[in-house]
Amino acid sequence: MPAHASEPKRRRELGGLLDPATTVLLTVECQQGVVGPDTALPELAREARSSGALAQVARLVAAAHGCAVQVLHAVAERRHDGRGASRNARLFRAAERLPVRQLTGTAAVRVAPPIEVAEEDLIVRRLHGLSPLAGTDVDALLRNLGCRTLVVAGVSANVAVPNAVFDAVNLGYTVVVPGDAIAGVPADYTPAMIRHTLALVATVATTDEVVACWERPVGGPAGG
């Protein structure tokens, strides 16, 4: 079947999943100390920017604000004294030695431009672990918001994004991943993660597809 023949069906399916009334957009670790110019992870920051992923996250956030989709920003940070931080993996121990640390109250844990944070956005900060959902308030907030579909975007495709997707699916949410709005290192790892792992448990879309669903009324014309 030609690709264009299935486009109306695809738009209808995505439109059903992405109803603004029951959808939440989750941005993952799009913070200055991770993807900003003064970053602890320069390779990841370069990839997030050069690939266009960070700009696509900003587009998703702007579109969500425009149609009353709730936006939730998941930020990783640690106390200045390190209390409660995880130390049971190489990744955590390496983070303690990085020149830029994600310390509470510093610029490193602010959401990075070009993403714009609106007054109605929620910001959830975690002090431990690898997942934006496990051990945080995210699940309770999503349930209180009436969320059925969670759109996951941000970094990294190596660790936090797949953790978020798996945890959300295990908790009963339907997950949509805009594949061009996530980034990891090396560059060729992200499409492999999407194709061989995330696509098995989530609906993979593009930012254009998600934004198109939010720019027209649910149940409205899908276009020709």
Side-chain angles (χ1 to χ4, degrees), residues 5 80 96 114 128 135 148 177 180 191 194 198:
H80 289 257
E96 293 179 343
H128 62 86
R148 296 179 61 187
V177 176
D180 55 352
I194 292 170
L198 299 185

Side-chain angles (χ1 to χ4, degrees), residues 6-40:
S6 62
E7 287 176 4
K9 179 181 178 182
R10 168 79 170 175
R11 286 195 292 266
R12 287 194 300 271
E13 290 175 348
L14 281 175
L17 289 177
L18 295 168
D19 181 347
T22 55
T23 300
V24 172
L25 170 62
L26 176 71
T27 76
V28 179
E29 294 185 27
C30 293
Q31 57 200 80
Q32 298 208 44
V34 176
V35 296
D38 298 318
T39 174

Side-chain angles (χ1 to χ4, degrees), residues 42-181:
E43 184 182 4
L44 178 59
R46 283 193 299 270
E47 179 59 26
R49 291 178 178 275
S50 65
S51 68
L54 189 61
Q56 299 289 45
V57 176
R59 283 186 63 209
L60 290 164
V61 170
H65 290 159
C67 69
V69 168
Q70 179 67 54
V71 180
L72 197 160
H73 304 281
V75 174
E77 62 180 53
R78 60 186 291 125
R79 287 169 49 111
H80 289 257
D81 60 11
R83 288 180 184 272
S86 300
R87 293 183 176 84
N88 58 333
R90 283 175 50 196
L91 179 65
F92 302 128
R93 296 190 292 272
E96 293 179 343
R97 300 190 294 271
L98 291 173
V100 177
R101 301 170 69 196
Q102 316 299 325
L103 298 179
T104 300
T106 67
V109 298
R110 296 176 190 158
V111 176
I115 299 168
E116 295 188 4
V117 180
E119 184 177 355
E120 63 269 20
D121 292 1
L122 297 171
I123 298 178
V124 175
R125 306 178 184 279
R126 78 175 193 274
L127 293 173
H128 62 86
L130 300 170
S131 172
L133 277 75
T136 72
D137 293 334
V138 171
D139 181 39
L141 292 172
L142 295 178
R143 294 188 188 282
N144 289 346
L145 291 162
C147 176
R148 296 179 61 187
T149 299
L150 186 66
V151 180
V152 178
V155 297
S156 71
N158 305 75
V159 179
V161 167
N163 266 269
V165 171
F166 290 140
D167 285 347
V169 170
N170 285 332
L171 288 166
Y173 300 101
T174 297
V175 178
V176 174
V177 176
D180 55 352

